[in-house]
Amino acid sequence: MRGELLPFFQKQTDGLCECTFASLLLDNYTYRYKISRASDDTMLLLGHDADGIRFLSLMGAFPDEEMLRTILASAEVRPCAYIKNLSERHVTEGAGVLSALGLSPRLDRDNCDYLYRREDLARLRGKALHKKKNHVNGFHAAHTAEVRAIDDTTASDALEILHRWRDVRLERGENDGDFLVCSIAVQFRAQLELSGIIVYADGKPAGFSLGELVAGGTMFVTHFEKGIDGVHGIYQAVNNEQAKSLPDSVAFINREQDLGDEGLRQAKMTYRPCAFVNKYRAELH
């Protein structure tokens, strides 16, 4: 369905990290998606969350009342417990329809994407980002650094970093995290229209970032960021170099959500987000 879905998602401007062809394919390993076209401008996405509960997502144009009633009454959608990832635009434009159907969207804070100004992450100016800049400076002081794009000649270096990242997790008794989907993303980056950079320390691959342009090229979504343990400052350096590598047409960097993880939330907040891509949830039962 790539040929049909890519153009559809490229027209979307809300900036939700999930609303891309790459995210759809990669997240399918977790959520077991089914997708259907409700109209030329609206897609329906059905999935199962971590607890096995079924949900519905609406992508593209918000349906009118008749269409939404038909959707919610369909055999496939009736078992869904809630509507997930309603955008700010959906909640505003569909306020009357949602109210008529007795649906009350609430902000899903754990699922809101963190937005940063690209220039802030590239320059790291000011007191708030002083520690980040110190980490980046420390990395460059300790290593001879080189930054290269992830392409056919460097993809194996990204996979080497990813395998070392997984090995450390397994040695700690943790699971392998998003190793599988990240590996697929690196290998099929061209088909998924993903791009990114690798940072080398003293000639050795040390960290990488992989993501994609959305919202008409004004936003970059960072889907993956991996680094070698023991290379001090590598994550801050990768973050900084990714921001510097993007064209001036990119105003914002979307670093996805924290999923309610307090440690991840604190880490994302230390970069001082300028805004959030808000997402809402509406209970159906």
Side-chain angles (χ1 to χ4, degrees):
M1 293 180 70
R2 177 180 181 274
E4 179 180 2
L5 294 177
L6 263 177
F8 174 84
F9 285 118
Q10 287 170 345
K11 292 189 297 183
Q12 307 309 313
T13 59
D14 294 320
L16 277 68
C17 70
E18 298 93 344
C19 201
T20 78
F21 176 70
S23 285
L24 192 71
L25 186 142
L26 297 171
D27 288 347
N28 182 54
Y29 287 87
T30 300
Y31 298 113
R32 295 176 288 157
Y33 285 142
K34 291 183 179 180
I35 191 168
S36 177
R37 184 182 286 277
S39 69
D40 288 344
D41 301 316
T42 305
M43 290 277 191
L44 310 178
L45 194 65
L46 298 174
H48 296 73
D49 64 21
D51 297 317
I53 299 171
R54 296 182 66 174
F55 63 83
L56 165 70
S57 287
L58 303 170
M59 299 175 294
F62 193 83
D64 60 26
E65 183 177 342
E66 181 181 359
M67 180 185 292
L68 187 54
R69 286 187 183 277
T70 301
I71 290 168
L72 296 180
S74 67
E76 284 279 359
V77 176
R78 278 201 305 272
C80 292
Y82 60 96
I83 303 177
K84 180 182 180 182
N85 290 341
L86 288 166
S87 68
E88 197 85 57
R89 175 179 56 82
H90 283 156
V91 171
T92 301
E93 295 179 0
V97 174
L98 291 166
S99 177
L101 272 63
L103 301 176
S104 303
R106 61 174 177 80
L107 185 67
D108 188 359
R109 172 63 180 84
D110 293 349
N111 208 30
C112 294
D113 297 341
Y114 288 72
L115 274 188
Y116 307 85
R117 293 185 181 86
R118 179 193 59 80
E119 186 174 354
D120 290 345
L121 298 188
R123 296 180 180 272
L124 298 176
R125 291 175 172 170
K127 184 178 180 180
L129 297 174
H130 182 67
K131 289 185 178 180
K132 304 296 184 186
K133 191 172 184 64
N134 282 345
H135 284 302
V136 173
N137 290 341
F139 169 79
H140 286 284
H143 305 282
T144 299
E146 180 186 3
V147 181
R148 299 176 62 184
I150 299 180
D151 57 25
D152 291 344
T153 65
T154 61
S156 60
D157 292 336
L159 291 174
E160 177 187 334
I161 295 166
L162 179 61
H163 277 82
R164 291 181 64 183
W165 172 86
R166 179 190 62 172
D167 290 346
V168 169
R169 288 180 62 92
L170 295 180
E171 288 169 4
R172 291 172 177 168
E174 302 173 0
N175 60 37
D176 61 0
D178 58 357
F179 172 83
L180 173 63
V181 291
C182 187
S183 175
I184 292 170
V186 171
Q187 295 176 74
F188 293 94
R189 65 198 175 280
Q191 295 92 328
L192 298 175
E193 299 200 346
L194 301 176
S195 62
I197 54 106
I198 300 180
V199 176
Y200 295 80
D202 304 318
K204 298 178 181 180
F208 74 88
S209 174
L210 189 68
E212 63 181 314
L213 294 172
V214 300
T218 62
M219 184 186 298
F220 183 83
V221 178
T222 302
H223 291 307
F224 302 100
E225 198 173 72
K226 306 297 181 188
I228 300 295
D229 265 30
V231 181
H232 183 71
I234 185 58
Y235 279 100
Q236 292 84 0
V238 168
N239 188 320
N240 179 241
E241 294 295 345
Q242 178 66 81
K244 291 195 293 187
S245 74
L246 295 170
D248 291 342
S249 58
V250 177
F252 301 102
I253 294 178
N254 179 328
R255 292 183 56 79
E256 302 192 336
Q257 62 277 82
D258 60 44
L259 297 175
D261 184 304
E262 286 301 323
L264 190 56
R265 177 168 296 189
Q266 183 178 359
K268 289 180 182 289
M269 289 301 295
T270 61
Y271 271 102
R272 300 299 189 267
C274 64
F276 292 88
V277 179
N278 287 330
K279 302 172 199 173
Y280 296 79
R281 169 172 168 157
E283 304 297 329
L284 293 174
H285 304 299

